[in-house]
């Protein structure tokens, strides 16, 4: 009987997104659109996998599997199952991508950080270093926002969190960046600089910032940028108020498609246009809203 190796792909390659919960994920429609555009006969599915289940899931994958997108709660445990870790994922201490290596191991990498920066660059919002970056939340996405703020050359970074302990852990990660400014951990309330910060990033769960949205958005203008990492339902209260005040708004869909673009390259070796990925994501959201 013939024995297949990783050099013998056999049927179509397989990729997937893993997490818990996972039914809400738009990753399948985005990656499938990329495969259609690239003419690849690949499949991309979604699987509910918890932290303790990830090692067993990986061990059950055959030679056809090429890559995995990871969402919560798998972004840290991915580093434990990987046989190779990219410098960026090592520095951030989180990974959102696993790609199969020739020896059947897995390489963990992070496309969230470049995706965050690319989303800003697409709107020509990354050329000028922000004086103050105001970040709300203290989870994995807050870590990405902190690292991006350092990359942008922020003068000061405020991290607003309901848990000081979690905030300290997030802030500690960015101290590895050469020349990074000190992270000022703030309570869950608005300070004077929050009303004038050039870049505000909301990474908190849905509803957590709603009570402060109107006040935080009061001083608008085209020089003030909000990056709201949520995208469903849209607009969120803070995105609505920010837009009404004349500020610039980026949404979670911008981050989603740009980080997915990085994953497509990592898994297939070929780029897909951002407009193709965004159109697929928007269609997926529209279909979800239909009765």
């Amino acid at each position: 009987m013939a024995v297949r190796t990783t050099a013998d792909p056999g049927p179509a390659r397989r990729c997937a997104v893993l997490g818990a919960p996972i039914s809400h994920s738009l990753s399948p429609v985005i990656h499938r659109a990329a495969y259609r555009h690239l003419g690849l006969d690949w499949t991309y599915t979604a699987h509910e996998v918890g932290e303790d289940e990830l090692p067993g899931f990986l061990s059950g994958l055959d030679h056809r599997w090429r890559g995995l997108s990871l969402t919560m709660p798998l972004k840290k445990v991915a580093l434990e199952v990987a046989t190779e870790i990219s410098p960026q994922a090592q520095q951030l201490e989180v990974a959102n991508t696993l790609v199969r290596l020739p020896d059947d191991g897995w390489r963990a990498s992070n496309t969230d950080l470049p995706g965050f920066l690319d989303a800003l660059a697409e709107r020509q919002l990354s050329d000028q270093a922000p004086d103050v970056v105001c970040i709300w939340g203290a989870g994995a996405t807050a870590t990405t926002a902190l690292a991006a703020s350092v990359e942008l050359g922020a003068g000061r970074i405020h991290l607003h969190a309901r848990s000081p302990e979690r905030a300290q852990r997030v802030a500690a990660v960015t101290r590895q960046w050469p020349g990074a400014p000190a992270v000022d951990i703030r309570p869950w309330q608005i300070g004077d600089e929050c009303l004038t910060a050039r870049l505000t990033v909301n990474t908190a769960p849905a509803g957590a910032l709603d009570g402060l949205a109107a006040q935080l958005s009061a001083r608008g203008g085209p020089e003030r940028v909000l990056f709201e990492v949520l995208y469903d339902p849209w607009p969120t209260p803070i995105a609505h108020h920010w837009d009404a005040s004349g500020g610039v708004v980026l949404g979670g869909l911008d981050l989603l498609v740009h980080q997915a673009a990085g994953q497509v390259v990592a898994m297939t070796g070929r780029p897909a246009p951002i407009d193709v990925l965004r159109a697929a994501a928007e269609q997926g959201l529209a279909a979800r809203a239909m009765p």
Side-chain angles (χ1 to χ4, degrees):
M1 183 176 68
V3 177
R4 281 181 176 167
T5 68
T6 41
D8 172 20
R13 292 283 194 168
R14 300 191 63 182
C15 298
V17 58
L18 314 180
I22 201 61
S23 59
H24 67 286
S25 178
L26 287 174
S27 292
V29 298
I30 295 172
H31 285 255
R32 290 169 188 165
Y35 300 161
R36 287 194 297 271
H37 178 83
L38 296 172
L40 296 174
D41 183 23
W42 288 30
T43 63
Y44 190 102
T45 49
H47 303 267
E48 186 146 327
V49 177
E51 288 181 87
D52 296 338
E53 300 169 306
L54 183 58
F57 184 89
L58 293 179
S59 68
L61 302 183
D62 62 24
H63 65 281
R64 294 173 297 171
W65 286 83
R66 175 61 182 166
L68 301 168
S69 307
L70 306 174
T71 186
M72 299 305 293
L74 304 177
K75 292 191 173 186
K76 285 190 175 290
V77 71
L79 303 181
E80 300 172 12
V81 300
T83 53
E84 182 180 310
I85 303 174
S86 74
Q88 205 164 59
Q90 188 79 63
Q91 202 167 20
L92 286 167
E93 298 180 4
V94 290
N96 72 332
T97 310
L98 288 171
V99 172
R100 197 72 167 266
L101 295 170
D103 62 0
D104 280 344
W106 294 90
R107 184 178 193 270
S109 61
N110 186 300
T111 67
D112 283 331
L113 176 53
F116 192 104
L117 293 170
D118 288 345
L120 288 168
E122 184 186 24
R123 302 276 293 275
Q124 289 83 48
L125 298 172
S126 59
D127 297 337
Q128 181 181 346
D131 52 352
V132 177
V133 177
C134 188
I135 299 170
W136 297 80
T141 308
T143 303
T144 299
L146 279 168
S149 301
V150 175
E151 294 284 339
L152 290 169
R156 295 186 300 285
I157 302 172
H158 298 168
L159 178 61
H160 295 261
R162 292 167 294 181
S163 167
E165 293 77 19
R166 290 187 69 192
Q168 290 287 356
R169 289 196 294 270
V170 171
V173 172
T174 58
R175 294 184 188 126
Q176 302 176 45
W177 262 259
V183 177
D184 187 0
I185 296 174
R186 301 285 184 92
W188 202 257
Q189 60 191 46
I190 297 174
D192 290 340
E193 285 188 301
C194 297
L195 302 176
T196 57
R198 183 169 181 268
L199 176 61
T200 298
V201 186
N202 181 30
T203 73
L209 199 59
D210 289 1
L212 303 175
Q215 183 185 354
L216 193 58
S217 310
R219 299 184 193 175
E223 74 285 350
R224 297 201 66 207
V225 178
L226 169 70
F227 206 138
E228 162 64 277
V229 303
L230 299 175
Y231 60 83
D232 187 23
W234 186 264
T236 62
I238 189 170
H240 168 75
H241 286 291
W242 203 280
D243 182 64
S245 71
V248 178
V249 179
L250 284 81
L253 211 63
D254 294 293
L255 177 59
L256 181 64
V257 297
H258 278 282
Q259 65 82 26
Q263 291 182 333
V264 169
V265 172
M267 295 176 190
T268 72
R270 297 168 59 186
I274 285 295
D275 58 348
V276 170
L277 306 188
R278 180 175 282 111
E282 290 172 347
Q283 290 168 11
L285 271 181
R288 183 183 295 177
M290 292 177 63

